[in-house]
Amino acid sequence: MRSTSFRCFFGLLGWLLLVPGALTAVAASWLLATSLHLVGDTRSAKGRVVAHESVVTGSSSRQAHGKKSVVEFVASDGRTVRFTDSLVRQLQAVHDVGDTVTVRYPANSPSQAEISSSNTLKIFLGAVWLLCSAVGMAAGWLLLRLRPRVPA
């Protein structure tokens, strides 16, 4: 009887680690693939920081002031595109006004552009997330494999 309860516990714990680990590994892989521009037709161009946008982040009790870079570039179809980068830096922007930056954008939607250096954080988080998912899946698989055997 005791062996059966351990078997059920290890089996449940194994599945609780294995299934969410596999799902988060898929999500982390997608984050890495999009950050590394392995998905879709991605173009790059040189852009110029033309302004900064002030933003307030955080909850109402702990607000922080930050700045985002506003960048202008010419897309491959000749259109001039202006976008605000998604990366917020407290008190100061990442890039100064007038700086030249490399911009990456989907060929079919240049308005969804990003400064390519902003992807470094996404790549790091995606890699850490994928590593944690792999550890969870391995632990779940081990728990399922090492469950006590049911006596015959």
Side-chain angles (χ1 to χ4, degrees):
M1 179 74 170
R2 187 173 175 114
S3 177
T4 305
S5 63
F6 275 128
R7 181 172 172 76
C8 289
F9 174 73
F10 283 136
L12 179 63
L13 190 58
W15 285 113
L16 286 175
L17 288 171
L18 185 66
V19 173
L23 294 175
T24 57
V26 170
S29 298
W30 179 255
L31 178 65
L32 276 172
T34 56
S35 297
L36 294 170
H37 305 291
L38 301 174
V39 178
D41 186 14
T42 304
R43 308 274 168 93
S44 64
K46 291 292 182 187
R48 181 170 305 279
V49 177
V50 294
H52 292 139
E53 181 181 298
S54 294
V55 293
V56 178
T57 61
S59 64
S60 60
S61 62
R62 294 190 51 137
Q63 290 185 343
H65 296 276
K67 291 188 178 182
K68 293 181 177 184
S69 298
V70 179
V71 179
E72 198 170 84
F73 71 99
V74 177
S76 60
D77 61 3
R79 288 186 293 160
T80 300
V81 179
R82 182 181 277 215
F83 72 94
T84 303
D85 193 41
S86 59
L87 185 64
V88 178
R89 179 69 62 97
Q90 260 187 317
L91 302 177
Q92 65 183 22
V94 176
H95 303 283
D96 293 327
V97 173
D99 283 356
T100 300
V101 294
T102 302
V103 174
R104 295 200 184 272
Y105 63 94
N108 59 353
S109 183
S111 61
Q112 294 180 348
E114 291 183 312
I115 298 174
S116 45
S117 62
S118 299
N119 281 339
T120 306
L121 181 61
K122 286 184 188 177
I123 292 168
F124 176 74
L125 291 175
V128 169
W129 197 14
L130 187 61
L131 179 65
C132 292
S133 299
V135 169
M137 288 188 319
W141 180 80
L142 278 173
L143 283 171
L144 288 172
R145 295 288 296 157
L146 299 176
R147 292 185 289 186
R149 301 281 181 230
V150 175

